[in-house]
Amino acid sequence: MKIRQLTIAAAVALATLGTGLAQAQDIKNRLIRFGYGLNEVSNQGRAAKVFADEVEKASGGKMKIRAIGAAALGSDVQMQQALIGGAQEMMVGSTATLVGITKEMAIWDTPFLFNNGKEADAVLDGPVGQKVMDKLQEKGLVGLVYWENGFRNLTNNKRAVTKLEDMEGIKLRVMQNNVFIDSFKTLGANAVPLPFSELFTALETKTVDGQENPYNTILSSKFYEVQKYLTVTNHVYSPWIVLVSKKYWDGLSKDEQKVLLDAAKKSRDFERKDTRAEADKALADLRAKGMQVNELSSAEAGRMRDKLSAINTSIAANVGESLWKEVQDAVAQARTA
Ligand code: TF8
């Protein structure tokens, strides 16, 4: 009896401590829709769950995140518009699909910009990453953190791509973004921009022959069911970005904003670890699922790289020479750090 009473007393004390903390802060009951494009069972879905749990915990249960995956709230581009208009509160999606809104985002689409995750983290989390993110504000979006989508690799159904010439005429789905369209045109493919939410069906019905995405996504979106060949190209590193509607953000208290930002940072740290661990073993999983994996010889990888460097000038012109240089300097610094 005594022990039981003590336990109850302790539980009550703990509970009031929790809500007490949240009450001392300016936090209201809030329901936040957080949309994303991949499946619940994906690196994106797992990190969305971590974000939701962290927000709930830090707000004493007052702020609730309803994470809605599989593009049920729309494609990246549709969700961005919903955030700008204030019809949806939050989302995570590709930076590449933001280029139509904020041209500076195209800097992250530069082929072979980063050699590894460490360089990407240093630049994206550093001052220039923040600067690019802050450009979204004048367009009605608040960026909180970058997550890792990852290094992109090529899959297709037409032929094993082992040299540059093999790209010729492959109908390749790309993101709705000019740098990606130009990159794959330069390599000889027939680049077709499509939202991710339409991709599986486009592959299945052979509307397109191929696509490019990180291993994690090829796995979680089951592209191995409709794609035979995978070529390890690592042609570009894609970030994801966690966004809030600026209209919504401006109506939040400082405490509420802090809850979201802190939770976003925790989710980012979790997401990068989780994504990298999955990517490390994904290639073996994809082989086991029946995909034929081709590595490029270093000579062929070099030819692709050279070819793609032709688009750097236009990226620099589009994002501005000074931002281009700032990012190059930040990468160089990360590389020697
Ligand atoms: C793509 C991207 C997607 C993301 C995701 C839906 O190919 O890599 O993974 O936009 O948020 O569209």
Side-chain angles (χ1 to χ4, degrees):
M1 189 63 187
K2 257 205 169 145
I3 289 179
R4 199 165 161 244
Q5 272 172 350
L6 264 177
T7 322
I8 292 169
V12 169
L14 271 178
T16 36
L17 185 69
T19 45
L21 274 178
Q23 263 156 15
Q25 297 173 310
D26 184 6
I27 294 178
K28 292 196 178 67
N29 287 323
R30 304 239 178 223
L31 180 63
I32 299 170
R33 282 160 301 174
F34 182 98
Y36 61 95
L38 299 191
N39 302 319
E40 224 174 283
V41 187
S42 68
N43 53 341
Q44 203 174 46
R46 290 189 293 271
K49 176 92 176 50
V50 167
F51 176 68
D53 290 347
E54 290 295 338
V55 169
E56 187 147 356
K57 204 166 74 188
S59 66
K62 288 183 149 187
M63 295 168 77
K64 292 212 163 46
I65 301 287
R66 187 180 291 161
I68 304 165
L73 294 180
S75 66
D76 281 8
V77 170
Q78 288 167 329
M79 289 196 288
Q80 289 155 14
Q81 292 308 324
L83 261 62
I84 291 170
Q88 183 182 327
E89 295 77 31
M90 288 189 74
M91 67 172 284
V92 62
S94 177
T95 55
T97 53
L98 280 166
V99 168
I101 294 170
T102 296
K103 64 182 191 328
E104 289 83 359
M105 279 288 159
I107 191 68
W108 311 131
D109 301 326
T110 308
F112 302 105
L113 180 63
F114 303 126
N115 285 332
N116 52 51
K118 198 181 130 244
E119 290 176 11
D121 294 354
V123 175
L124 293 167
D125 300 346
V128 74
Q130 187 66 48
K131 183 169 169 177
V132 173
M133 190 143 66
D134 289 345
K135 296 258 181 225
L136 293 167
Q137 295 230 9
E138 64 203 60
K139 299 294 162 76
L141 295 168
V142 178
L144 297 185
V145 289
Y146 296 99
W147 285 359
E148 172 159 304
N149 187 352
F151 286 96
R152 303 178 79 91
N153 291 290
L154 180 77
T155 70
N156 88 100
N157 243 346
K158 214 161 183 154
R159 59 180 87 97
V161 173
T162 58
K163 56 180 186 311
L164 189 55
E165 287 71 16
D166 295 331
M167 294 290 297
E168 198 57 46
I170 288 183
K171 235 177 149 186
L172 192 82
R173 175 272 176 176
V174 293
M175 291 187 279
Q176 294 152 292
N177 166 297
N178 279 332
V179 180
F180 276 83
I181 297 172
D182 290 350
S183 292
F184 285 96
K185 277 193 181 153
T186 303
L187 294 178
N190 179 0
V192 184
L194 271 183
F196 184 84
S197 43
E198 288 168 30
L199 179 51
F200 188 90
T201 307
L203 294 169
E204 195 177 33
T205 57
K206 306 209 175 353
T207 307
V208 292
D209 302 315
Q211 65 87 43
E212 40 83 57
N213 254 299
Y215 298 145
N216 311 64
T217 301
I218 301 171
L219 253 186
S220 63
S221 292
K222 298 195 163 55
F223 291 158
Y224 54 81
E225 287 182 354
V226 287
Q227 295 279 273
K228 176 78 186 150
Y229 306 106
L230 188 156
T231 303
V232 178
T233 48
N234 288 317
H235 50 274
V236 69
Y237 176 94
S238 268
W240 278 326
I241 185 167
V242 175
L243 300 170
V244 191
S245 156
K246 186 157 190 316
K247 278 193 180 157
Y248 185 73
W249 181 258
D250 289 345
L252 295 175
S253 71
K254 288 273 163 286
D255 290 332
E256 290 166 334
Q257 291 179 349
K258 187 172 177 329
V259 166
L260 292 183
L261 184 59
D262 289 350
K265 285 180 179 162
K266 283 187 178 156
S267 71
R268 170 193 68 197
D269 296 345
F270 164 85
E271 195 271 347
R272 285 177 178 163
K273 262 198 214 123
D274 179 55
T275 298
R276 285 164 195 171
E278 183 181 50
D280 282 347
K281 53 182 192 58
L283 202 48
D285 293 345
L286 290 168
R287 274 200 183 97
K289 303 263 185 215
M291 289 197 91
Q292 181 184 317
V293 175
N294 299 288
E295 317 249 355
L296 290 174
S297 68
S298 60
E300 280 306 320
R303 284 179 76 212
M304 263 190 202
R305 232 185 154 100
D306 286 351
K307 211 101 226 201
L308 282 173
S309 67
I311 67 164
N312 285 353
T313 332
S314 70
I315 301 175
N318 277 330
V319 303
E321 295 293 338
S322 78
L323 178 65
W324 172 268
K325 193 177 173 306
E326 223 175 303
V327 169
Q328 293 299 322
D329 289 349
V331 173
Q333 208 183 344
R335 212 155 270 176
T336 54

